[in-house]
Amino acid sequence: MYYKLNGVTQRLTGAPATAYRPQGLRPGVPPVSPPITFATPTKLASETGSQYLGANRVPDLQKVFQMSDGIPVHLKRGVIDKLLYRTTMGLTVGGTLYCLVALYIAAQPGNK
């Protein structure tokens, strides 16, 4: 038997059997299957053909990046790579200095 606490008398009382079947749960009702989301069959990549019509630049880039000329990999493609590298380093150093200054200011006692 299922018991519950009576709010008035503060004693345990027996509850009817309806407590085992809340309103939303009805036995014997078959579940409704959801509608099919993707009704079209799946195609393999080999069946559709290639969608990209550009030239394959991978072999050329492999030659550039695998050349042993003493230049780091992140700077091998020229001026744009140097600009991006220096901008990233400048922002990193500037952010570090800004954080240190903010910590120094926060560590100072306040005026009363």
Side-chain angles (χ1 to χ4, degrees):
M1 177 177 242
Y2 177 73
Y3 294 98
K4 70 177 186 177
L5 185 66
N6 188 337
V8 178
T9 62
Q10 297 297 317
R11 294 184 181 181
L12 291 178
T13 59
T18 57
Y20 291 114
R21 288 193 198 137
Q23 285 182 338
L25 303 174
R26 283 183 244 136
V29 177
V32 177
S33 62
I36 298 175
T37 304
F38 301 103
T40 58
T42 306
K43 293 182 181 178
L44 298 175
S46 60
E47 296 174 358
T48 60
S50 176
Q51 299 293 329
Y52 181 69
L53 300 176
N56 186 7
R57 298 182 346 185
V58 173
D60 299 331
L61 292 175
Q62 283 178 340
K63 289 177 187 173
V64 169
F65 285 115
Q66 292 176 356
M67 192 182 328
S68 61
D69 53 2
I71 299 174
V73 174
H74 59 275
L75 298 175
K76 283 219 181 211
R77 292 188 64 191
V79 177
I80 299 295
D81 282 346
K82 289 179 185 175
L83 180 68
L84 288 172
Y85 177 74
R86 289 178 182 164
T87 302
T88 304
M89 283 295 114
L91 289 172
T92 303
V93 170
T96 303
L97 290 176
Y98 179 77
C99 287
L100 291 174
V101 169
L103 283 172
Y104 177 76
I105 291 171
Q108 298 301 316
N111 294 334
K112 290 187 181 183

